[in-house]
Amino acid sequence: TGRVGTPFDYFLEDFVIARYDNPKTAGDARLAVKRFKHHCSELEGTTRKSVIGWLESETRARKTVSKSLSFLINYWEYLQDREVVSLDVHPFRKHKIPSKLKPSKKREPFNDEEVSLIIKALKAETDQQLFLLVHLAIYTGARISELAALTTEDLIECEGVVCLNITDSK
């Protein structure tokens, strides 16, 4: 392939299968490794300096970054256990998450044309449940995960109006 080093995420699926049973946790671990790969594409180039660079470029919440760092520590230890990387190198250990992370760009709402494009793309999909969830999200402003967790008991009536009762939300 012309590559010199091993892609950072080369052992990712083996790691996830070996360490995580919960699908959400497994997905979070995958995402952490793939996000870091944008800052350091090869295992051989992973150094404390590259980890510091990643931390300094982060715009997510400190708690989220800390969780990602924890997954990366576990991934590195998995690689060490399999003798893929040196036991003497610990690029993800003993880092302090900066108290002030890089400010994120202000999110702008979708305009009408963008919403129309999203709906058109969803119509082309065969997943009717996703289509309905996105429509509910558009009209309610709720997160997809919040809507997907709703049950029929969460339909309530307030002053003659049928409403969604979302109790566990951010």
Side-chain angles (χ1 to χ4, degrees):
T1 63
R3 285 192 190 119
V4 175
T6 309
F8 186 79
D9 61 351
Y10 187 79
F11 299 95
L12 177 58
E13 284 310 309
D14 293 336
F15 161 69
V16 169
I17 290 167
R19 298 270 173 111
Y20 302 105
D21 293 329
N22 180 298
K24 181 173 181 348
T25 308
D28 290 345
R30 277 187 194 93
L31 187 59
V33 170
K34 288 184 182 283
R35 285 183 78 116
F36 182 77
K37 184 182 177 188
H38 290 291
H39 294 274
C40 186
S41 60
E42 296 174 350
L43 288 174
E44 294 80 3
T46 304
T47 62
R48 288 190 60 74
K49 185 176 180 179
S50 64
V51 175
I52 290 167
W54 164 66
L55 287 171
E56 289 175 348
S57 71
E58 271 296 344
T59 60
R60 297 177 295 163
R62 291 185 84 229
K63 187 175 178 181
T64 306
V65 174
S66 180
K67 185 177 172 184
S68 290
L69 183 58
S70 184
F71 283 122
L72 291 166
I73 289 168
N74 287 333
Y75 181 57
W76 198 260
E77 288 172 354
Y78 171 84
L79 297 173
Q80 288 176 320
D81 291 345
R82 276 138 193 86
E83 298 179 355
V84 173
V85 296
S86 170
L87 290 172
D88 301 327
V89 178
H90 305 280
F92 296 100
R93 288 249 173 234
K94 297 183 181 177
H95 285 282
K96 291 186 178 161
I97 310 282
S99 57
K100 282 201 166 198
L101 296 171
K102 191 175 177 184
S104 59
K105 292 179 184 173
K106 185 177 180 235
R107 292 185 183 184
E108 296 290 326
F110 292 119
N111 62 36
D112 291 345
E113 186 178 311
E114 292 167 331
V115 171
S116 179
L117 282 171
I118 291 168
I119 291 171
K120 261 188 209 171
L122 283 170
K123 282 182 182 175
E125 288 286 320
T126 57
D127 190 344
Q128 184 66 18
Q129 289 177 336
L130 178 62
F131 181 79
L132 293 173
L133 279 173
V134 170
H135 267 76
L136 270 175
I138 289 170
Y139 289 108
T140 64
R143 295 168 181 263
I144 296 288
S145 60
E146 295 166 353
L147 295 170
L150 291 174
T151 64
T152 54
E153 288 81 35
D154 294 315
L155 286 173
I156 60 172
E157 191 172 320
C158 293
E159 299 176 14
V161 178
V162 177
C163 303
L164 299 173
N165 184 29
I166 301 174
T167 55
D168 188 20
S169 65
K170 287 188 175 181

